[in-house]
Amino acid sequence: MNKCRHMRDLLKGARPLISPGIYDGYSGLLAQAMGFKTASTTGAGLANSLLGQPDIGLFSLRDNLDACRRLTHAVDIPLMADADTGYGNAVTVFHVVQYFEEAGVVGINIEDQFMPKRCGAMRGKELVEPLEMALKIEAALKAKKDPDFIINARTDAIAVEGIEGTVKRVREYVAAGADMIYPDAVRNEDDILRVLEAADGTPVNINMGFGIRQRPTTPLIPFKRLGEMGVARISLPRFLPAAALHGMRQAILALQGGLQGDEIIDRPDLLVGMQDITDLVGYERIAALESELLSAEQLARKYHEGERDYVVKEH
């Protein structure tokens, strides 16, 4: 079974399907190792972490594709991608879909903002006309080679046109053939119920942002409750980047606090160990390949009479 078909089956079998946003090999491998069945790239997370810049359109199509290729190579679970506005009109979207399919992702988000778009938590959004977005969806469907590749139509209309405008757009995007509907910055459960009704059976994606921390836009809603309402997928684009920033800040503060002292700073509560890293990334594969592919003479030169393992293990 290919990953696109597997993703479709996951959506049918798990309500809601939890999809954390990943932005590098560590976050992708950790999400997989901790039991998540799928993940998604976070557009803002990639732009912020790789460029050190706000998510204002500086992260290009090529940047995005390069990151996605690396991540799909790193993880085995299905990975969806954030394709912003599709980088142009319907003709552009046609080609963009094929590029992302070739990169190995199982689907993409396309949103109805003008380019450069704005993150869902930001002000100043501008929307394209519903017809333009519908044409992009139709182009995306025409372009995809695997029928199971998912076109996730995101609308930011709640912040601009309110729930009535959002419902109208959802109906048009469903009629255009969107595989999934993604209303961003929903304000409450009523917004979600209205979108679910308008989607009329098309799977709905709800963005819970940080997942375990409140934010100024969408309030936290229990995942179980979202599943009971009929939400198919919950995306957590800011969850892992925010957790990583918090963890790094705490470790830096501990280091800075001990710089002038005479005592050794040993804080295993703040840092994983070397073996945690090597286990996560799969260094044991290197040791196995060395044993299989290198000659006895080569191994003897590397390891002498010692243990023939690439990693110095903790005891």
Side-chain angles (χ1 to χ4, degrees):
M1 183 185 299
N2 69 27
K3 287 185 178 180
C4 291
R5 168 47 53 185
H6 183 42
M7 180 68 180
R8 294 273 186 169
D9 288 346
L10 288 172
L11 282 168
K12 292 177 184 176
R15 293 293 179 98
L17 181 64
I18 311 301
S19 184
I22 65 172
Y23 59 96
D24 66 358
Y26 278 151
S27 58
L29 289 169
L30 188 59
Q32 178 174 281
M34 295 296 289
F36 287 102
K37 302 301 183 185
T38 181
S40 51
T41 64
T42 160
L46 288 173
N48 298 162
S49 64
L50 296 179
L51 301 183
Q53 294 286 352
D55 183 20
I56 55 172
L58 302 177
F59 196 69
S60 71
L61 170 61
R62 182 172 179 177
D63 293 331
N64 201 345
L65 289 168
D66 287 346
C68 287
R69 287 191 191 96
R70 291 194 294 269
L71 291 171
T72 57
H73 183 74
V75 301
D76 297 320
I77 57 177
L79 181 65
M80 286 190 64
D82 184 352
D84 287 343
T85 65
Y87 299 95
N89 61 18
V91 175
T92 313
V93 166
F94 180 90
H95 293 87
V96 164
V97 166
Q98 295 186 342
Y99 284 138
F100 274 101
E101 243 190 305
E102 291 167 3
V105 299
V106 300
I108 57 173
N109 307 337
I110 302 176
E111 57 200 75
D112 56 7
Q113 290 191 52
F114 277 108
M115 191 70 178
K117 50 69 62 86
R118 304 236 170 167
C119 168
M122 304 303 170
R123 296 189 178 93
K125 300 174 187 176
E126 296 179 272
L127 306 182
V128 300
E129 291 299 318
L131 176 59
E132 181 175 344
M133 180 63 175
L135 290 172
K136 288 184 180 184
I137 294 168
E138 291 173 4
L141 296 172
K142 182 178 179 66
K144 65 180 184 177
K145 297 176 182 178
D146 188 332
D148 290 321
F149 188 84
I150 294 169
I151 305 303
N152 189 14
R154 168 176 152 172
T155 178
D156 286 84
I158 286 177
V160 181
E161 301 174 348
I163 190 60
E164 295 302 330
T166 299
V167 165
K168 182 176 183 294
R169 284 176 179 266
V170 167
R171 290 182 179 135
E172 293 191 45
Y173 300 167
V174 168
D179 298 303
M180 188 182 292
I181 295 294
Y182 176 176
D184 202 33
V186 295
R187 302 163 299 184
N188 47 51
E189 289 190 13
D190 184 64
D191 282 351
I192 297 172
L193 291 170
R194 293 286 303 276
V195 168
L196 286 163
E197 181 182 15
D200 194 26
T202 298
V204 170
N205 177 109
I206 295 298
N207 175 2
M208 278 286 108
F210 291 105
I212 55 174
R213 177 172 178 160
Q214 292 285 2
R215 55 186 178 140
T217 50
T218 303
L220 288 178
I221 300 171
F223 291 3
K224 180 181 178 182
R225 170 61 181 155
L226 291 171
E228 291 169 348
M229 292 167 66
V231 172
R233 177 178 182 255
I234 297 173
S235 51
L236 306 172
R238 297 283 188 173
F239 173 54
L240 291 177
L245 283 171
H246 179 74
M248 288 188 281
R249 179 180 289 145
Q250 296 306 306
I252 291 169
L253 287 172
L255 177 68
Q256 290 174 332
L259 288 177
Q260 302 304 317
D262 296 324
E263 296 183 359
I264 293 172
I265 306 168
D266 188 10
R267 295 293 303 273
D269 58 314
L270 294 179
L271 303 175
V272 300
M274 180 57 71
Q275 193 165 336
D276 294 304
I277 296 172
T278 57
D279 287 349
L280 178 67
V281 180
Y283 276 66
E284 77 281 352
R285 298 195 310 267
I286 307 301
L289 283 171
E290 283 185 342
S291 297
E292 179 183 355
L293 301 176
L294 298 186
S295 68
E297 291 77 10
Q298 288 175 306
L299 290 170
R301 284 200 304 270
K302 286 181 178 298
Y303 298 108
H304 306 289
E305 298 301 321
E307 184 178 356
R308 292 185 176 182
D309 194 337
Y310 190 76
V311 176
V312 179
K313 299 285 179 67
E314 299 174 359
H315 297 290

